[in-house]
Amino acid sequence: MSGDVQKLNANNCGFYVGLIHYPVVNRRAELVTSSVTNLDIHDIARASRTFGVKGYFIVHPSEDQQALNRRIIKHWGGDFAMRANPTRKDALNLVQLVYSIEEALSVIESQEAKPFIIGTSAKPSDKTPEIEIPALKAKLKERPVVLLFGTAYGLAPEWTDRLDAFLPPIHGPTDFNHLSVRSAATIYLDRIFGR
Amino acid sequence: MSGDVQKLNANNCGFYVGLIHYPVVNRRAELVTSSVTNLDIHDIARASRTFGVKGYFIVHPSEDQQALNRRIIKHWGGDFAMRANPTRKDALNLVQLVYSIEEALSVIESQEAKPFIIGTSAKPSDKTPEIEIPALKAKLKERPVVLLFGTAYGLAPEWTDRLDAFLPPIHGPTDFNHLSVRSAATIYLDRIFGR
C-alpha cells in the first residue's frame, strides 16, 4: 500500500468496496449470477485507488469467472503492460477475488474488525435505514465500512435485508436513473472522498 | 427530448458533452487517433441522460469507426434490445456522431449559439483559465456550454490552447489520478448537475 493511503487511513478504519455478481436479480426480479465485465474491474479499481479505498472485492461464485479475473489482472502486471501502462497495476493491486459476500466480510474482519455493511440501490429500500455521507464518515472512526454494489438489477433481497444501511440513490435533474454500476460506484466514491 | 429535460433547459442554454478521439495525444505526447470503446458510448450516454445533458458528441474522423458506433447504437434501438433493456435507447438518443470538434461546435451553433468550450485534464493547463462549477452554471444562463473529454492521454495542444476554460482536475485523498474517461466524465456531470 502506498504512503498516501497509509496516511489517509491513520485515523480511520478501512473503507472497502464489493462488486457483487451473486446473489443479484435480473429485470424480472429473479435470482441470477451475472457475468464478469472487464471494465468493471478496471474502472472501479482505478476509482478505488484514486479515492483511497483499502480493498476492492470482486464477488463471484464461479471458478471459471474468477480465473478470467485473475488472467486479466495478471496481464496488467506483466512486462509489456507495465511498460505501456505502469499505473494500472497499482490500481489492480486493490482487487481481491472472493467467492461470496460472506468471504469478503470475513477477510475484512480478519484484517481489522467486523465491517459496517452499506448497500446502494437505484430504488430506496423500506426495511433498511438510509445513511447520509457525514454519518458514514463518522462510522469510519469506529469500524471498517464496506460498500456493496450489485451488478445486473441489484443485490438480491436476501442481502438487502441484511445490510446495516443504504446510501440514498443518485439523482440528477431528470427522472432517468439507469447509470452503469461503474458510474454509480465512481460517483459514490467521489461524493464520499472527493475533494 | 423528454419532458424533464425540456423543463430543465427552460431557463438555461444547452449543456453538451464531447468525447474526442482526435486530436489526442498518447503517453509519449504524440498526436494520435484513438479507437472507439463500446462502454464509453453507453456509460457517458447514460450519465448524460441522468444529468440532463442536451447532446453527447462522439468525435471520430474515421468512417469505419463511426460505422461501428452507428451499428452499436442501432442495436439498442432494435426489437430484441428494446424488450431486454427499454431505457438504453433513451440514453443513446443523445449521441451525435461527428467527424471533428469543429463539426460538433457548428451543430451546437446552428441549434442555439456559439458555445463556451471547456476542457478537462488530469494536469492543469498554464495557458487556459480555470473555471469553477458555479461560474460554469452562470455561463449557461448566457450561452450553450460544451465540455470536451479527450480519450487516450488527453486533448492535443492544438485544442487545449483554443479552449475558453478548464475545469480543475479530479482529486481524491491520494496522489493517484488515473481515472477512466468514463469515470471522469461521470464525476464532472455529477459535480455540476447532481443533487
Side-chain angles (χ1 to χ4, degrees):
Chain A
M1 194 185 310
S2 74
D4 55 348
V5 176
Q6 280 178 337
K7 193 170 63 185
L8 174 75
N9 289 330
N11 297 312
N12 278 330
C13 302
F15 186 88
Y16 300 84
V17 167
L19 184 70
I20 316 303
H21 299 82
Y22 176 87
V24 293
V25 292
N26 66 12
R27 75 194 153 91
R28 290 181 295 274
E30 297 157 345
L31 185 66
V32 295
T33 305
S34 65
S35 298
V36 161
T37 298
N38 178 31
L39 288 184
D40 286 353
I41 312 174
H42 289 270
D43 284 9
I44 300 175
R46 293 162 78 178
S48 292
R49 182 64 187 82
T50 300
F51 293 110
V53 169
K54 194 164 174 186
Y56 165 29
F57 293 96
I58 299 183
V59 177
H60 204 296
S62 149
E63 176 49 33
D64 275 5
Q65 292 277 298
Q66 293 291 21
L68 175 60
N69 286 332
R70 260 192 297 277
R71 185 175 156 197
I72 291 167
I73 292 166
K74 188 179 170 196
H75 168 81
W76 291 96
D79 286 347
F80 177 79
M82 282 295 286
R83 279 196 301 278
N85 192 330
T87 67
R88 192 60 54 87
K89 183 183 179 181
D90 192 11
L92 293 174
N93 274 344
L94 292 176
V95 176
Q96 298 191 53
L97 304 176
V98 294
Y99 295 90
S100 66
I101 297 177
E102 288 82 355
E103 187 184 349
L105 301 179
S106 70
V107 169
I108 298 170
E109 190 168 354
S110 70
Q111 289 174 356
E112 294 197 61
K114 202 171 149 69
F116 188 81
I117 310 168
I118 302 180
T120 64
S121 174
K123 291 170 197 155
S125 157
D126 294 334
K127 293 189 185 167
T128 309
E130 222 174 64
I131 188 167
E132 298 288 340
I133 285 168
L136 184 161
K137 296 179 97 161
K139 191 65 71 181
L140 278 172
K141 306 277 177 198
E142 301 161 18
R143 56 193 280 208
V145 172
V146 61
L147 181 55
L148 303 182
F149 295 99
T151 59
Y153 282 67
L155 273 180
E158 63 173 278
W159 260 100
T160 54
D161 292 348
R162 288 166 68 185
L163 300 170
D164 294 311
F166 260 109
L167 274 169
I170 293 164
H171 286 295
T174 74
D175 56 7
F176 187 92
N177 67 345
H178 306 285
L179 291 168
S180 71
V181 71
R182 299 169 294 283
S183 292
T186 300
I187 288 174
Y188 280 115
L189 292 176
D190 180 55
R191 287 187 178 188
I192 299 167
F193 298 111
R195 278 187 286 159
Chain B
M1 195 186 307
S2 75
D4 55 348
V5 176
Q6 280 178 336
K7 193 170 63 186
L8 174 75
N9 288 330
N11 297 312
N12 278 330
C13 303
F15 186 87
Y16 300 83
V17 167
L19 183 70
I20 315 304
H21 299 82
Y22 177 88
V24 293
V25 292
N26 66 11
R27 74 194 155 90
R28 290 182 295 274
E30 297 157 346
L31 185 66
V32 293
T33 305
S34 65
S35 298
V36 162
T37 298
N38 179 30
L39 288 184
D40 286 353
I41 311 174
H42 289 270
D43 284 9
I44 299 175
R46 293 162 79 178
S48 292
R49 182 63 187 83
T50 300
F51 293 110
V53 170
K54 194 165 176 185
Y56 166 28
F57 293 96
I58 299 183
V59 178
H60 204 297
S62 147
E63 175 48 33
D64 273 4
Q65 291 277 298
Q66 294 290 22
L68 174 60
N69 286 332
R70 260 192 298 277
R71 186 175 155 196
I72 291 168
I73 292 166
K74 187 179 171 197
H75 168 81
W76 292 96
D79 286 346
F80 177 79
M82 282 294 286
R83 279 196 301 276
N85 192 330
T87 67
R88 192 60 53 87
K89 183 184 180 182
D90 193 11
L92 293 174
N93 274 344
L94 293 176
V95 176
Q96 299 191 51
L97 304 176
V98 294
Y99 294 90
S100 66
I101 297 177
E102 288 81 355
E103 186 183 349
L105 301 179
S106 70
V107 169
I108 298 170
E109 190 168 356
S110 70
Q111 288 173 356
E112 295 198 59
K114 202 170 149 72
F116 188 80
I117 310 166
I118 302 181
T120 65
S121 173
K123 292 172 197 153
S125 157
D126 294 336
K127 292 189 186 167
T128 310
E130 222 174 65
I131 187 167
E132 298 288 341
I133 285 168
L136 184 160
K137 295 178 95 160
K139 190 65 69 181
L140 279 172
K141 306 278 178 199
E142 302 161 18
R143 56 193 278 208
V145 172
V146 62
L147 182 54
L148 303 182
F149 295 99
T151 59
Y153 281 66
L155 272 180
E158 64 174 278
W159 260 100
T160 54
D161 293 348
R162 286 166 69 185
L163 300 170
D164 294 310
F166 260 107
L167 273 169
I170 293 165
H171 285 295
T174 74
D175 56 7
F176 187 93
N177 67 346
H178 307 284
L179 292 168
S180 71
V181 71
R182 300 170 292 285
S183 292
T186 300
I187 288 175
Y188 279 114
L189 291 177
D190 181 53
R191 287 186 178 188
I192 300 167
F193 298 111
R195 279 187 286 159

